[in-house]
Amino acid sequence: MKLKEIVKSMVPMDFKTAADALEDRKAMVTLTSGSIELDKLLEGGIETGSITEVFGEFRTGKTQLCHTLCVTCQMAVTDGGAEGKAIYIDTEGSFR
């Protein structure tokens, strides 16, 4: 089986109207970063269902933010979480 066929079986690739996309956006959960000011900059927090890239200088809190989000995503929605699960893949060996 070719990779394209495998991906098609795993990811829905159907046409979606703008109205359907809007409904999906309404159901999206936003995770708190743990910082009120950062959440303001991000217009409410980190969006679920999307990829967010975090970059910056050494020792600026990127790893700490990712650790916080791993905990936050498991919290109740009323507390700024998503009642979900997280997996953390440490590619630099910085999780101690």
Side-chain angles (χ1 to χ4, degrees):
M1 191 181 249
K2 293 190 176 194
L3 182 59
K4 187 175 177 181
E5 293 170 9
I6 294 170
V7 171
K8 276 188 173 184
S9 71
M10 296 173 68
V11 180
M13 307 269 266
D14 300 331
F15 177 78
K16 185 182 286 194
T17 66
D20 291 340
L22 179 61
E23 287 304 311
D24 290 347
R25 293 281 302 162
K26 288 178 182 177
M28 180 191 65
V29 176
T30 304
L31 298 175
T32 181
S33 66
S35 165
I36 295 169
E37 294 302 317
L38 181 56
D39 286 347
K40 284 181 189 176
L41 285 171
L42 297 171
E43 298 179 1
I46 306 287
E47 291 182 353
T48 58
S50 61
I51 297 173
T52 303
E53 182 177 6
V54 179
F55 63 94
E57 295 290 327
F58 178 70
R59 298 186 59 104
T60 56
K62 300 177 301 292
T63 301
Q64 182 63 43
L65 175 61
C66 291
H67 292 172
T68 300
L69 290 172
C70 283
V71 172
T72 302
C73 77
Q74 299 173 69
M75 295 179 356
V77 173
T78 55
D79 295 329
E83 297 176 8
K85 296 179 181 179
I87 184 168
Y88 188 91
I89 301 171
D90 182 10
T91 60
E92 296 181 349
S94 59
F95 188 73
R96 297 182 184 113

